Amino acid sequence: MCEANAYFVEDGKEQLYLESVDIIRPEGDSVYLLSVFGEQKKVNARLKEIRLMDHKIILEKS
């Protein structure tokens, strides 16, 4: 599988927010995430970066 895990960066540390993300979609000041298991989250954040080789999605609170 090629899904990634979503993390928040706070104080320089990555904290796991959602595993096995299948869909990520910016929605205004929020980001919508859907995992391969059907778990959905919407959070006030912005997409900082995606590290494809590490399977990581990095979010920052907005």
Side-chain angles (χ1 to χ4, degrees):
M1 298 243 198
C2 54
E3 67 273 356
N5 295 329
Y7 297 84
F8 266 107
V9 174
E10 292 183 8
D11 299 325
K13 296 180 182 176
E14 295 177 357
Q15 297 180 353
L16 181 62
Y17 183 67
L18 184 65
E19 292 181 297
S20 302
V21 174
D22 183 38
I23 295 172
I24 182 167
R25 181 174 54 230
E27 294 183 347
D29 292 336
S30 301
V31 175
Y32 168 83
L33 302 154
L34 174 66
S35 78
V36 296
F37 306 110
E39 186 176 359
Q40 300 177 54
K41 292 188 174 186
K42 187 172 181 178
V43 62
N44 287 335
R46 71 176 191 90
L47 182 62
K48 181 178 179 186
E49 67 182 358
I50 298 174
R51 297 184 203 150
L52 297 175
M53 294 298 289
D54 294 331
H55 303 273
K56 288 185 173 183
I57 299 162
I58 308 298
L59 303 169
E60 281 184 330
K61 291 190 178 178
S62 56

